[in-house]
């Protein structure tokens, strides 16, 4: 898509790129402009990422971010939540396990409730077979499973990997920079409704979590150094992507490894 050439998505939105402005503009079928951003990714990928498949509309910030601010992968705690979900707890049983029994072993009620909520949002939609496998899988496989679950719940992570991380790989960079996250979010604020309403500290916390998640799953040496690493995706991750209809997420995991 370049120099004014139009592309049509299945949701009847169009995109074009103009070299004079170095911006991508999406307009709907009636000619109304949706947003303008710098071209971090091919226009077809941006259309796919930003359109809510259930409504055929641009994602809101809440849908785009999911609960990425809630923390990194948290393997041990995720397994605790998975085991709890397998027991099909009602609200009282959930509260008793999280707050009274403090199964996550945190120091404050607020912290434990916040963490439990984040992890439940990530893994509950994946289903009981996923929870069961998470308990018995080797740690490296479990972390890749949790990365997939987090990418599904927080499209911003998928988008960042498909664009910024992918660009770094293609340019043979040794590491990511903290500024990469800031620049990425700035470009998306023009596209995602409500994203510009988040405070600078919240945006920074989200970025820290993204880098930690990439480190936990093996794509970075650490959240601090941000040095790129090669990743071997285990065969069962492809199988989970197929069974959970998450092929697009898997393709991103595979393309930037």
């Amino acid at each position: 898509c370049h120099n004014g050439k139009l592309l049509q998505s299945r949701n009847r939105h169009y995109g074009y790129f103009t070299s004079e402005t170095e911006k991508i503009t999406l307009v709907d079928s009636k000619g109304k402009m949706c947003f303008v951003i710098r071209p971090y990714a091919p226009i077809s990928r941006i259309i796919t990422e930003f359109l809510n498949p259930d409504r055929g509309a641009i994602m809101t910030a809440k849908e785009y971010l999911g609960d990425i601010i809630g923390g990194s992968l948290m393997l041990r705690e995720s397994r605790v939540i998975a085991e709890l979900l397998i027991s099909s707890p009602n609200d009282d049983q959930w509260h008793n396990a999280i707050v009274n029994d403090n199964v996550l072993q945190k120091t404050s009620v607020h912290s434990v409730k916040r963490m439990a909520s984040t992890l439940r949002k990530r893994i509950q939609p994946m289903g009981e077979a996923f929870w069961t496998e998470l308990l018995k899988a080797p740690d490296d496989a479990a972390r890749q499973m949790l990365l997939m679950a987090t990418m599904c719940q927080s499209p911003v992570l998928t988008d960042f990997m498909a664009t910024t991380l992918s660009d770094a790989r293609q340019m043979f960079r040794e590491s990511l920079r903290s500024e990469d996250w800031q620049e990425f979010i700035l470009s998306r604020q023009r596209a995602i409704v409500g994203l510009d309403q988040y405070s600078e500290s919240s945006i920074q916390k989200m970025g820290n979590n993204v880098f930690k998640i990439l480190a936990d799953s093996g794509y970075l040496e650490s959240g601090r150094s941000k040095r790129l690493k090669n990743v071997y995706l285990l065969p069962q991750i492809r199988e989970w992507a197929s069974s959970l209809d998450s092929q697009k997420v898997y393709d991103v995991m595979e393309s930037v490894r």
Side-chain angles (χ1 to χ4, degrees), residues 182-202:
Q182 301 296 337
E183 293 168 3
F184 168 80
I185 285 295
L186 180 61
S187 75
R188 294 316 189 239
Q189 285 177 341
R190 303 187 185 99
I192 304 298
V193 177
L195 189 58
D196 58 352
Q197 301 301 310
Y198 287 81
S199 67
E200 184 177 343
S201 61
S202 292

mmCIF file of all heavy atoms in Angstrom, residues 182-202:
data_model
loop_
_atom_site.group_PDB
_atom_site.id
_atom_site.type_symbol
_atom_site.label_atom_id
_atom_site.label_comp_id
_atom_site.label_asym_id
_atom_site.label_seq_id
_atom_site.Cartn_x
_atom_site.Cartn_y
_atom_site.Cartn_z
ATOM 1 N N GLN A 182 7.678 4.409 24.255
ATOM 2 C CA GLN A 182 7.084 5.737 24.236
ATOM 3 C C GLN A 182 6.697 6.152 22.821
ATOM 4 O O GLN A 182 5.612 6.703 22.590
ATOM 5 C CB GLN A 182 8.052 6.755 24.851
ATOM 6 C CG GLN A 182 8.453 6.468 26.292
ATOM 7 C CD GLN A 182 7.295 6.535 27.261
ATOM 8 O OE1 GLN A 182 6.289 7.192 26.989
ATOM 9 N NE2 GLN A 182 7.416 5.858 28.389
ATOM 10 N N GLU A 183 7.583 5.900 21.859
ATOM 11 C CA GLU A 183 7.302 6.256 20.469
ATOM 12 C C GLU A 183 6.148 5.436 19.911
ATOM 13 O O GLU A 183 5.300 5.942 19.161
ATOM 14 C CB GLU A 183 8.557 6.063 19.623
ATOM 15 C CG GLU A 183 9.680 7.038 19.974
ATOM 16 C CD GLU A 183 11.006 6.667 19.335
ATOM 17 O OE1 GLU A 183 11.040 5.673 18.573
ATOM 18 O OE2 GLU A 183 12.004 7.360 19.607
ATOM 19 N N PHE A 184 6.111 4.167 20.272
ATOM 20 C CA PHE A 184 5.033 3.283 19.829
ATOM 21 C C PHE A 184 3.686 3.779 20.353
ATOM 22 O O PHE A 184 2.713 3.900 19.597
ATOM 23 C CB PHE A 184 5.318 1.868 20.317
ATOM 24 C CG PHE A 184 4.161 0.919 20.175
ATOM 25 C CD1 PHE A 184 3.868 0.333 18.956
ATOM 26 C CD2 PHE A 184 3.367 0.608 21.272
ATOM 27 C CE1 PHE A 184 2.794 -0.534 18.824
ATOM 28 C CE2 PHE A 184 2.296 -0.258 21.151
ATOM 29 C CZ PHE A 184 2.009 -0.833 19.924
ATOM 30 N N ILE A 185 3.605 4.066 21.652
ATOM 31 C CA ILE A 185 2.346 4.521 22.239
ATOM 32 C C ILE A 185 1.916 5.851 21.646
ATOM 33 O O ILE A 185 0.728 6.076 21.386
ATOM 34 C CB ILE A 185 2.475 4.621 23.772
ATOM 35 C CG1 ILE A 185 2.463 3.223 24.391
ATOM 36 C CG2 ILE A 185 1.357 5.459 24.372
ATOM 37 C CD1 ILE A 185 1.149 2.476 24.220
ATOM 38 N N LEU A 186 2.867 6.743 21.415
ATOM 39 C CA LEU A 186 2.533 8.036 20.820
ATOM 40 C C LEU A 186 1.881 7.847 19.456
ATOM 41 O O LEU A 186 0.899 8.515 19.118
ATOM 42 C CB LEU A 186 3.789 8.890 20.690
ATOM 43 C CG LEU A 186 3.591 10.288 20.075
ATOM 44 C CD1 LEU A 186 2.649 11.117 20.940
ATOM 45 C CD2 LEU A 186 4.931 10.994 19.910
ATOM 46 N N SER A 187 2.399 6.924 18.660
ATOM 47 C CA SER A 187 1.812 6.681 17.344
ATOM 48 C C SER A 187 0.416 6.095 17.457
ATOM 49 O O SER A 187 -0.458 6.381 16.643
ATOM 50 C CB SER A 187 2.707 5.733 16.539
ATOM 51 O OG SER A 187 2.605 4.396 16.999
ATOM 52 N N ARG A 188 0.174 5.298 18.474
ATOM 53 C CA ARG A 188 -1.135 4.650 18.638
ATOM 54 C C ARG A 188 -2.164 5.572 19.285
ATOM 55 O O ARG A 188 -3.363 5.339 19.155
ATOM 56 C CB ARG A 188 -0.991 3.378 19.475
ATOM 57 C CG ARG A 188 -0.174 2.260 18.812
ATOM 58 C CD ARG A 188 -0.551 2.075 17.354
ATOM 59 N NE ARG A 188 0.047 0.890 16.773
ATOM 60 C CZ ARG A 188 0.844 0.874 15.733
ATOM 61 N NH1 ARG A 188 1.183 2.028 15.148
ATOM 62 N NH2 ARG A 188 1.297 -0.257 15.237
ATOM 63 N N GLN A 189 -1.722 6.595 19.974
ATOM 64 C CA GLN A 189 -2.668 7.524 20.580
ATOM 65 C C GLN A 189 -3.516 8.244 19.551
ATOM 66 O O GLN A 189 -4.611 8.710 19.858
ATOM 67 C CB GLN A 189 -1.911 8.542 21.448
ATOM 68 C CG GLN A 189 -1.433 7.961 22.766
ATOM 69 C CD GLN A 189 -0.630 8.939 23.587
ATOM 70 O OE1 GLN A 189 -0.116 9.942 23.068
ATOM 71 N NE2 GLN A 189 -0.501 8.679 24.875
ATOM 72 N N ARG A 190 -3.026 8.333 18.338
ATOM 73 C CA ARG A 190 -3.808 8.964 17.278
ATOM 74 C C ARG A 190 -4.861 8.017 16.719
ATOM 75 O O ARG A 190 -5.734 8.435 15.975
ATOM 76 C CB ARG A 190 -2.884 9.428 16.148
ATOM 77 C CG ARG A 190 -1.777 10.383 16.583
ATOM 78 C CD ARG A 190 -1.024 10.905 15.363
ATOM 79 N NE ARG A 190 0.113 11.725 15.753
ATOM 80 C CZ ARG A 190 1.365 11.286 15.797
ATOM 81 N NH1 ARG A 190 1.626 10.038 15.449
ATOM 82 N NH2 ARG A 190 2.341 12.080 16.156
ATOM 83 N N ALA A 191 -4.749 6.744 17.072
ATOM 84 C CA ALA A 191 -5.618 5.750 16.465
ATOM 85 C C ALA A 191 -6.615 5.138 17.432
ATOM 86 O O ALA A 191 -7.738 4.833 17.049
ATOM 87 C CB ALA A 191 -4.761 4.627 15.864
ATOM 88 N N ILE A 192 -6.223 4.948 18.676
ATOM 89 C CA ILE A 192 -7.040 4.229 19.638
ATOM 90 C C ILE A 192 -7.816 5.209 20.507
ATOM 91 O O ILE A 192 -7.227 6.030 21.210
ATOM 92 C CB ILE A 192 -6.167 3.323 20.533
ATOM 93 C CG1 ILE A 192 -5.342 2.359 19.675
ATOM 94 C CG2 ILE A 192 -7.018 2.554 21.519
ATOM 95 C CD1 ILE A 192 -6.172 1.404 18.835
ATOM 96 N N VAL A 193 -9.130 5.092 20.465
ATOM 97 C CA VAL A 193 -9.993 6.009 21.197
ATOM 98 C C VAL A 193 -9.739 5.891 22.700
ATOM 99 O O VAL A 193 -9.851 4.812 23.279
ATOM 100 C CB VAL A 193 -11.474 5.714 20.900
ATOM 101 C CG1 VAL A 193 -12.376 6.640 21.719
ATOM 102 C CG2 VAL A 193 -11.751 5.869 19.410
ATOM 103 N N GLY A 194 -9.354 7.000 23.315
ATOM 104 C CA GLY A 194 -9.166 7.044 24.760
ATOM 105 C C GLY A 194 -7.758 6.745 25.231
ATOM 106 O O GLY A 194 -7.459 6.913 26.424
ATOM 107 N N LEU A 195 -6.872 6.338 24.347
ATOM 108 C CA LEU A 195 -5.514 5.989 24.764
ATOM 109 C C LEU A 195 -4.750 7.209 25.265
ATOM 110 O O LEU A 195 -3.874 7.087 26.125
ATOM 111 C CB LEU A 195 -4.764 5.320 23.603
ATOM 112 C CG LEU A 195 -3.406 4.695 23.923
ATOM 113 C CD1 LEU A 195 -3.531 3.634 25.014
ATOM 114 C CD2 LEU A 195 -2.782 4.085 22.668
ATOM 115 N N ASP A 196 -5.082 8.366 24.750
ATOM 116 C CA ASP A 196 -4.384 9.581 25.172
ATOM 117 C C ASP A 196 -4.838 10.078 26.538
ATOM 118 O O ASP A 196 -4.312 11.072 27.051
ATOM 119 C CB ASP A 196 -4.571 10.690 24.134
ATOM 120 C CG ASP A 196 -6.035 11.026 23.884
ATOM 121 O OD1 ASP A 196 -6.916 10.293 24.395
ATOM 122 O OD2 ASP A 196 -6.300 12.011 23.163
ATOM 123 N N GLN A 197 -5.801 9.392 27.159
ATOM 124 C CA GLN A 197 -6.293 9.797 28.468
ATOM 125 C C GLN A 197 -5.492 9.190 29.620
ATOM 126 O O GLN A 197 -5.675 9.565 30.776
ATOM 127 C CB GLN A 197 -7.774 9.409 28.623
ATOM 128 C CG GLN A 197 -8.692 10.023 27.593
ATOM 129 C CD GLN A 197 -8.650 11.538 27.603
ATOM 130 O OE1 GLN A 197 -8.785 12.159 28.662
ATOM 131 N NE2 GLN A 197 -8.451 12.142 26.436
ATOM 132 N N TYR A 198 -4.624 8.232 29.312
ATOM 133 C CA TYR A 198 -3.849 7.579 30.363
ATOM 134 C C TYR A 198 -2.673 8.453 30.781
ATOM 135 O O TYR A 198 -2.053 9.130 29.957
ATOM 136 C CB TYR A 198 -3.349 6.217 29.886
ATOM 137 C CG TYR A 198 -4.449 5.177 29.812
ATOM 138 C CD1 TYR A 198 -5.308 5.125 28.721
ATOM 139 C CD2 TYR A 198 -4.636 4.268 30.846
ATOM 140 C CE1 TYR A 198 -6.328 4.189 28.656
ATOM 141 C CE2 TYR A 198 -5.646 3.317 30.781
ATOM 142 C CZ TYR A 198 -6.492 3.286 29.685
ATOM 143 O OH TYR A 198 -7.505 2.357 29.631
ATOM 144 N N SER A 199 -2.367 8.431 32.078
ATOM 145 C CA SER A 199 -1.290 9.254 32.609
ATOM 146 C C SER A 199 0.069 8.739 32.144
ATOM 147 O O SER A 199 0.212 7.576 31.742
ATOM 148 C CB SER A 199 -1.328 9.265 34.132
ATOM 149 O OG SER A 199 -1.017 7.972 34.646
ATOM 150 N N GLU A 200 1.050 9.608 32.231
ATOM 151 C CA GLU A 200 2.408 9.233 31.846
ATOM 152 C C GLU A 200 2.930 8.082 32.701
ATOM 153 O O GLU A 200 3.597 7.176 32.196
ATOM 154 C CB GLU A 200 3.332 10.443 31.971
ATOM 155 C CG GLU A 200 4.754 10.192 31.506
ATOM 156 C CD GLU A 200 5.617 11.430 31.568
ATOM 157 O OE1 GLU A 200 5.052 12.536 31.662
ATOM 158 O OE2 GLU A 200 6.865 11.285 31.525
ATOM 159 N N SER A 201 2.596 8.112 33.994
ATOM 160 C CA SER A 201 3.059 7.037 34.877
ATOM 161 C C SER A 201 2.408 5.703 34.531
ATOM 162 O O SER A 201 3.064 4.650 34.606
ATOM 163 C CB SER A 201 2.772 7.397 36.334
ATOM 164 O OG SER A 201 1.379 7.567 36.566
ATOM 165 N N SER A 202 1.145 5.719 34.141
ATOM 166 C CA SER A 202 0.472 4.479 33.742
ATOM 167 C C SER A 202 1.072 3.920 32.458
ATOM 168 O O SER A 202 1.292 2.706 32.342
ATOM 169 C CB SER A 202 -1.030 4.726 33.556
ATOM 170 O OG SER A 202 -1.662 5.020 34.787
#
